[in-house]
Amino acid sequence: MAKVSVFLVDGFETVEALAVVDVLRRAKVNVETISLMDSKDVVSAQKIKVTADIMLWEASFSDSDLLFVPGGGGYKLINEDEKAKNIIRSFVEKDKYIAAICAAPSIFGQMGLLKGKKATCFPGFEDKLEGAQYSSEKVVRDGKIITSKGMGTSIDLGLELVGILVGEEEKISIGKSIQYLP
C-alpha cells in the first residue's frame, strides 16, 4: 500500500490539505499527517483546529512514497525549518515524489529543486519558483515533483496523486464517486 506523509503547520490552508488527504484515503492510500508544531493540534489559516496523526519527531519517512506540503501562510514556517527542508531534500535524493500546492511550491523553488522543471503555484509566487518553467495548468507533474495552483485545484491534485500512487483506474473511480468526474 502506498504511503503519503503530509506536513501540517499553523496557518496551513484547510481545503488544500484536507481535500487531498480525503481523496487519497478514499483510494486506500496510507496517509500520515505530521505536525511540525509543538503539539499534534494544528490550527489552519481559517482557524480550524486539526489533530495531526503524529509529531515530526515520531515520523519515519523510510516507507513513505510521497511527501505533500499544503499551502497557506504556514508555508513560511516550513520554509524556515531546516529539518523539514532536509526531509524534502531526502525525498528528492531517494527519487521519491514530492508535492506542493498554492504558495508551498515556492519552498521547492527556493531550495533549488525546480531548476529546469515545469511547475505551477498560486498567482504572485511565480518568481519564487526559481529556475522553473512556469505553467498555468491546475496541476503540473515534472518527474517526481507535482505542483498545484491553490484551493480550487485541491481535488485535481488529490486525484493526480491517486493516479500516480494507485493507478488511473482508481483515479477515475474516485473522481466519479465524489461527483467530480462525469
Side-chain angles (χ1 to χ4, degrees):
M1 176 190 304
K3 180 180 175 187
V4 174
S5 298
V6 181
F7 281 166
L8 292 180
V9 294
D10 287 344
F12 75 91
E13 211 314 314
T14 312
V15 173
E16 291 171 1
L18 299 183
V20 172
V21 168
D22 179 285
V23 170
L24 288 165
R25 286 187 175 167
R26 286 172 190 262
K28 308 285 189 277
V29 172
N30 177 13
V31 179
E32 194 167 64
T33 57
I34 303 164
S35 172
L36 277 66
M37 306 310 296
D38 292 332
S39 82
K40 287 184 182 178
D41 293 329
V42 186
V43 180
S44 77
Q46 293 72 35
K47 307 298 182 218
I48 298 170
K49 185 174 18 170
V50 173
T51 302
D53 296 318
I54 61 172
M55 299 293 297
L56 180 60
W57 58 267
E58 298 174 290
S60 170
F61 299 94
S62 62
D63 59 344
S64 289
D65 300 292
L66 186 144
L67 177 65
F68 170 52
V69 184
Y75 87 95
K76 295 173 189 170
L77 296 174
I78 295 170
N79 204 29
E80 296 167 356
D81 186 323
E82 285 306 313
K83 184 169 186 175
K85 291 195 301 189
N86 285 337
I87 293 165
I88 293 168
R89 269 188 213 94
S90 76
F91 270 72
V92 173
E93 290 165 1
K94 293 174 181 168
D95 200 32
K96 294 182 176 188
Y97 291 99
I98 58 172
I101 188 169
C102 193
S106 69
I107 298 167
F108 298 168
Q110 292 172 322
M111 290 175 64
L113 303 176
L114 298 178
K115 289 186 174 133
K117 303 274 188 186
K118 281 181 59 179
T120 195
C121 62
F122 191 81
F125 284 83
E126 298 89 349
D127 64 325
K128 292 181 174 38
L129 302 180
E130 296 174 18
Q133 177 188 348
Y134 175 76
S135 170
S136 62
E137 296 173 48
K138 290 180 179 183
V139 178
V140 176
R141 176 181 175 192
D142 192 330
K144 299 277 179 106
I145 299 175
I146 304 100
T147 53
S148 190
K149 292 181 80 71
M151 186 185 93
T153 65
S154 300
I155 292 175
D156 297 283
L157 176 59
L159 290 172
E160 179 70 17
L161 299 182
V162 168
I164 291 167
L165 297 170
V166 184
E168 285 297 310
E169 189 174 305
E170 185 68 5
K171 171 184 172 178
I172 292 166
S173 175
I174 298 291
K176 287 181 178 184
S177 76
I178 63 172
Q179 304 303 298
Y180 189 75
L181 297 176

